[in-house]
Amino acid sequence: MVLFLDFNPFDNLLCILLGISFTVWFTLLLVFIIVPAIFGVSFGIRQLYMKTLLKIFEVSGNHWAFLSFLAIIAKEPTSLEEEIKEIRRSGSNRDLDSASEFEMSDIFYFCRRGVESIMDDEVTKRFSAEELESWNLLTRSNYNFQHISLRLTVLWGLGVVIRYGFLLPLRVTLAFTGVGLLVVLTSIIGFLPNGRTKNFLSEKVHLMCYRICVRALTAIITYHDSENKPKNGGICVANHTSPIDVIILASDGCYAMVGQIHGGLMGVIQKSMVKACPHIWFERSEVKDRHLVAKRLSDHVEDKTKLPILIFPEGTCINNTSVMMFKKGSFEIGSTVYPVAIKYDPRFGDAFWNSSQFGMVSYLLRMMSSWAIVCSVWYLPPMSREEGEDAVQFANRVKAAIARQGGLVDLLWDGGLKRGKVKDTFKEEQQKLYSKMLVGTQEDRSRS
């Protein structure tokens, strides 16, 4: 019996074209992205891409003025006492020295400050996306694009095709490649005996995989003052904007990560990484044990052969306009601290992770569908705790240095206010200032 198979020429042609497409696709990935990532070189394609985007943004001519309450409320750095005295002086013809301990006009100061805080809250606005001075052709930064002009609408449409039709598939492919290689290669290296060979291979594998992941975000990073890069036995502290801060820093040097043990895919990655490198992972029950955490960190930094620890002392993501209070734990150990300032350029894509609004997968998809992630990284000179300086003062000094270098606002507020209420101690502090002013006025009159 003879069987006749009916082959459709169109199906044959389609299979051939698909085969050629996949071959060309992975060849381009290998030649222009994966191999350069292995050797740490760049062909300058991303820089050319960034310059092209800037030209498009300029041609679109889409600048507009944002209404900012900062322009309406002009604040000057004055003390509580000075402001209340000014209110009393403008509202009374009597001499201030003869005034009573309390005047009704003092209420206006607290009312005004309350209104200012509502209109221009310097804390909660740090937990939302930074405002742009011009539209970057992303609907997430301006939902009313169709009302601006036809030209911008056309440019936006072309951008959607490029970002979702070409860039997103490319970036997803690179992300899976980088993470997959990290898991497989670090697991293999984990079988090697401890020594220089294992450390060398682990460092090269981590750098290669993180550089592939950086390319999955089309991240264009400028590193400054590399002579100050963290060294073994030290602690690297940086301002925190996004989970990708880790990738940004780890693509230029290897670090020992600190964090809580997770399940799922993240747990698999953590288990494979710790086989090749001494990262510090904590169980959920151990995270709240400050003494145990400090002991693990202290033991790590005492071994000068181990990689520097990477820590984000803010404890939460801030929108890259400011630096908020540093937790003192990492500054109590007594090790050399290597400050790092990270500043993102929001024109190409907002790197800030609003964890209360987006899950990790949604956030990563937003990153991969942005134009690019552009940032600058400054390695600051190492800092040590000075004589007579406590951990809080040391943390504030390091935070101030990072804010100054990155052009960020230095705030004393706790980033935990993202999900919590203001502590009573902050309210009591304002009450004490006012009470001190009244008591001080009374004592001055008594002496006279």
Side-chain angles (χ1 to χ4, degrees):
M1 182 177 179
V2 181
L3 296 176
F4 293 96
L5 299 177
D6 185 18
F7 289 100
N8 190 332
F10 178 76
D11 291 341
N12 245 352
L13 179 62
L14 183 62
C15 291
I16 293 173
L17 289 176
L18 285 174
I20 293 174
S21 299
F22 279 113
T23 302
V24 172
W25 180 263
F26 284 104
T27 300
L28 291 174
L29 285 181
L30 187 67
V31 173
F32 290 101
I33 297 178
I34 296 177
V35 172
I38 294 174
F39 295 100
V41 297
S42 174
F43 293 122
I45 299 175
R46 286 172 294 169
Q47 285 74 14
L48 179 63
Y49 170 67
M50 182 181 70
K51 292 178 181 178
T52 304
L53 283 176
L54 287 174
K55 289 292 183 182
I56 293 174
F57 293 159
E58 290 176 5
V59 170
S60 64
N62 55 354
H63 296 274
W64 73 86
F66 277 107
L67 291 178
S68 175
F69 289 117
L70 288 173
I72 299 173
I73 302 173
K75 293 194 234 179
E76 297 181 357
T78 55
S79 66
L80 177 147
E81 185 175 357
E82 289 175 350
E83 291 194 41
I84 287 183
K85 282 185 176 180
E86 181 61 31
I87 292 173
R88 290 184 179 185
R89 187 179 294 111
S90 60
S92 176
N93 294 323
R94 294 177 298 170
D95 183 45
L96 288 177
D97 293 335
S98 63
S100 61
E101 291 83 354
F102 168 78
E103 286 196 8
M104 288 296 294
S105 60
D106 295 353
I107 297 174
F108 291 110
Y109 165 79
F110 296 103
C111 290
R112 190 186 71 186
R113 289 299 300 269
V115 172
E116 286 180 356
S117 296
I118 293 171
M119 301 291 284
D120 182 29
D121 181 4
E122 67 177 7
V123 178
T124 55
K125 69 181 181 182
R126 310 298 175 180
F127 306 132
S128 58
E130 181 181 358
E131 290 183 344
L132 299 178
E133 293 182 357
S134 61
W135 188 33
N136 57 2
L137 303 178
L138 297 175
T139 51
R140 66 197 64 165
S141 57
N142 180 22
Y143 291 97
N144 298 316
F145 66 92
Q146 65 270 28
H147 302 303
I148 298 177
S149 72
L150 178 62
R151 178 176 60 178
L152 287 181
T153 304
V154 172
L155 285 174
W156 170 81
L158 291 174
V160 169
V161 173
I162 294 172
R163 289 186 293 110
Y164 287 93
F166 175 72
L167 291 178
L168 183 59
L170 172 64
R171 290 166 175 172
V172 170
T173 304
L174 286 174
F176 276 104
T177 302
V179 173
L181 287 175
L182 181 66
V183 171
V184 173
L185 295 179
T186 51
S187 298
I188 295 173
I189 292 174
F191 291 106
L192 297 176
N194 294 330
R196 290 184 178 180
T197 302
K198 181 178 181 178
N199 293 339
F200 175 80
L201 291 176
S202 174
E203 180 178 339
K204 295 303 178 183
V205 165
H206 277 84
L207 284 174
M208 177 190 71
C209 295
Y210 282 125
R211 285 168 180 166
I212 293 175
C213 290
V214 159
R215 285 161 171 78
L217 298 169
T218 314
I220 304 164
I221 314 166
T222 304
Y223 297 98
H224 304 272
D225 306 320
S226 296
E227 66 275 9
N228 296 324
K229 286 174 63 173
K231 296 179 174 55
N232 290 358
I235 298 177
C236 174
V237 298
N239 57 303
H240 198 24
T241 304
S242 158
I244 66 173
D245 293 338
V246 175
I247 302 174
I248 297 296
L249 294 177
S251 63
D252 191 46
C254 290
Y255 298 90
M257 309 296 175
V258 179
Q260 180 180 309
I261 295 176
H262 295 274
L265 177 61
M266 183 61 71
V268 172
I269 296 173
Q270 287 181 315
K271 289 177 182 177
S272 61
M273 288 174 61
V274 79
K275 292 177 181 177
C277 181
H279 299 287
I280 305 173
W281 307 130
F282 295 97
E283 296 287 351
R284 183 183 295 271
S285 58
E286 298 175 333
V287 173
K288 295 183 179 179
D289 190 341
R290 292 182 63 251
H291 296 291
L292 176 62
V293 173
K295 178 73 165 56
R296 293 276 299 277
L297 295 179
S298 180
D299 291 343
H300 184 99
V301 298
E302 286 178 1
D303 188 347
K304 301 305 178 183
T305 63
K306 291 185 177 180
L307 296 174
I309 298 174
L310 177 58
I311 296 179
F312 301 100
E314 287 170 297
T316 189
C317 294
I318 313 299
N319 69 357
N320 208 227
T321 60
S322 65
V323 185
M324 302 191 81
M325 187 181 77
F326 278 6
K327 304 293 190 297
K328 65 178 182 178
S330 54
F331 299 91
E332 292 177 325
I333 299 173
S335 175
T336 302
V337 171
Y338 295 86
V340 176
I342 306 174
K343 179 61 179 176
Y344 291 91
D345 190 336
R347 292 176 297 175
F348 303 92
D350 184 20
F352 169 59
W353 181 34
N354 188 345
S355 55
S356 60
Q357 186 176 1
F358 301 103
M360 178 60 76
V361 175
S362 301
Y363 168 76
L364 290 176
L365 286 176
R366 286 171 64 89
M367 291 298 95
M368 291 183 182
S369 59
S370 297
W371 291 113
I373 299 298
V374 181
C375 70
S376 295
V377 175
W378 289 273
Y379 296 109
L380 279 66
M383 301 175 69
S384 299
R385 193 164 160 180
E386 296 177 350
E387 186 177 353
E389 188 177 44
D390 60 26
V392 174
Q393 292 171 332
F394 183 29
N396 288 335
R397 185 161 59 89
V398 173
K399 177 168 69 76
I402 291 175
R404 186 165 52 252
Q405 181 63 72
L408 307 169
V409 180
D410 185 4
L411 297 176
L412 295 175
W413 295 98
D414 186 356
L417 291 173
K418 179 190 287 189
R419 297 179 180 85
K421 295 182 178 180
V422 178
K423 295 180 180 179
D424 291 335
T425 53
F426 287 106
K427 301 176 185 178
E428 292 170 0
E429 185 178 347
Q430 295 300 314
Q431 293 170 354
K432 288 178 180 177
L433 286 174
Y434 183 62
S435 300
K436 184 179 179 180
M437 188 195 77
L438 295 180
V439 172
T441 302
Q442 186 177 15
E443 289 179 352
D444 291 341
R445 283 202 309 272
S446 300
R447 292 194 192 98
S448 60

